[in-house]
Amino acid sequence: MNPVTAHDARRRRRLAAEIKDSLRELSNQLSLLNHQVGTHLELKDVDLDCLELITRHGPMSPSAVARRAGLHPATMTGILDRLQKGGWITRERDPDATDRRAVEVRALRERSTEVFKLYSGMNTKMDNLLADYSAADLELISDFLQRTTTAGQTATTKLAEA
């Protein structure tokens, strides 16, 4: 096994710092893109975030959406009210719940095309960018992003509990 040289250690630290900087820049750019999409849809940023959670992980209870979003249940009620009023979601009684007051929140598929259309430019750019990578490269990138997402979720949970 080759010992790590001081040069290698410096190079790894520099590359790690570049990756972290790039992730922060990516986060900023995606926030700006999401803000523009929300503006076109007349949704607040947090409403769009919650709609995305419901679309990807739903149907689910309002409390589950609040947990995933890291928001207080009272705040979530206002967000869900706005999304329902705008025709983005529906609240339905949970047929499997023992509490008859329990509801599930479900995204309305007929509105999804409006969202997808606004992200189509980014999706096309991503398709073109990813076409330059081998399957092995894509597996590595996918693993990195999944592990980064998990690290972010863990950090978010810790902050929310503090």
Side-chain angles (χ1 to χ4, degrees):
M1 188 159 155
N2 294 339
V4 176
T5 66
H7 172 74
D8 290 339
R10 280 192 304 277
R11 182 170 183 255
R12 285 186 62 82
R13 282 192 305 273
R14 181 182 51 77
L15 289 170
E18 287 178 15
I19 290 169
K20 290 175 191 175
D21 285 345
S22 292
L23 286 172
R24 282 191 293 276
E25 184 62 29
L26 174 60
S27 175
N28 289 337
Q29 289 303 313
L30 291 176
S31 290
L32 293 169
L33 174 61
N34 290 340
H35 179 75
Q36 288 301 315
V37 168
T39 298
H40 280 81
L41 298 172
E42 298 180 357
L43 292 173
K44 295 181 178 187
D45 291 356
V46 70
D47 296 359
L48 181 62
D49 291 342
C50 290
L51 178 60
E52 173 67 13
L53 288 172
I54 296 163
T55 300
R56 290 179 62 85
H57 304 288
M60 64 180 113
S61 70
S63 60
V65 181
R67 273 193 306 278
R68 280 190 180 268
L71 297 170
H72 190 277
T75 303
M76 185 53 58
T77 299
I79 293 167
L80 295 178
D81 287 347
R82 288 190 300 271
L83 289 173
Q84 187 172 17
K85 185 178 178 185
W88 293 101
I89 64 161
T90 185
R91 291 175 171 127
E92 301 171 352
R93 295 253 180 255
D94 183 351
D96 299 326
T98 55
D99 181 350
R100 293 187 317 170
R101 295 171 296 168
V103 296
E104 287 183 327
V105 180
R106 178 185 313 271
L108 296 174
R109 292 190 187 273
E110 53 270 19
R111 296 293 306 268
S112 297
T113 55
E114 295 174 57
V115 179
F116 291 133
K117 189 183 295 184
L118 293 169
Y119 283 111
S120 66
M122 179 64 170
N123 285 330
T124 299
K125 294 283 187 189
M126 289 302 302
D127 290 341
N128 293 338
L129 182 134
L130 294 172
D132 293 338
Y133 291 94
S134 70
D137 292 338
L138 293 175
E139 286 176 8
L140 180 65
I141 293 166
S142 177
D143 176 67
F144 172 77
L145 291 173
Q146 289 171 8
R147 291 168 65 189
T148 301
T149 299
T150 299
Q153 289 167 337
T154 301
T156 301
T157 299
K158 277 184 144 180
L159 279 176
E161 292 172 352

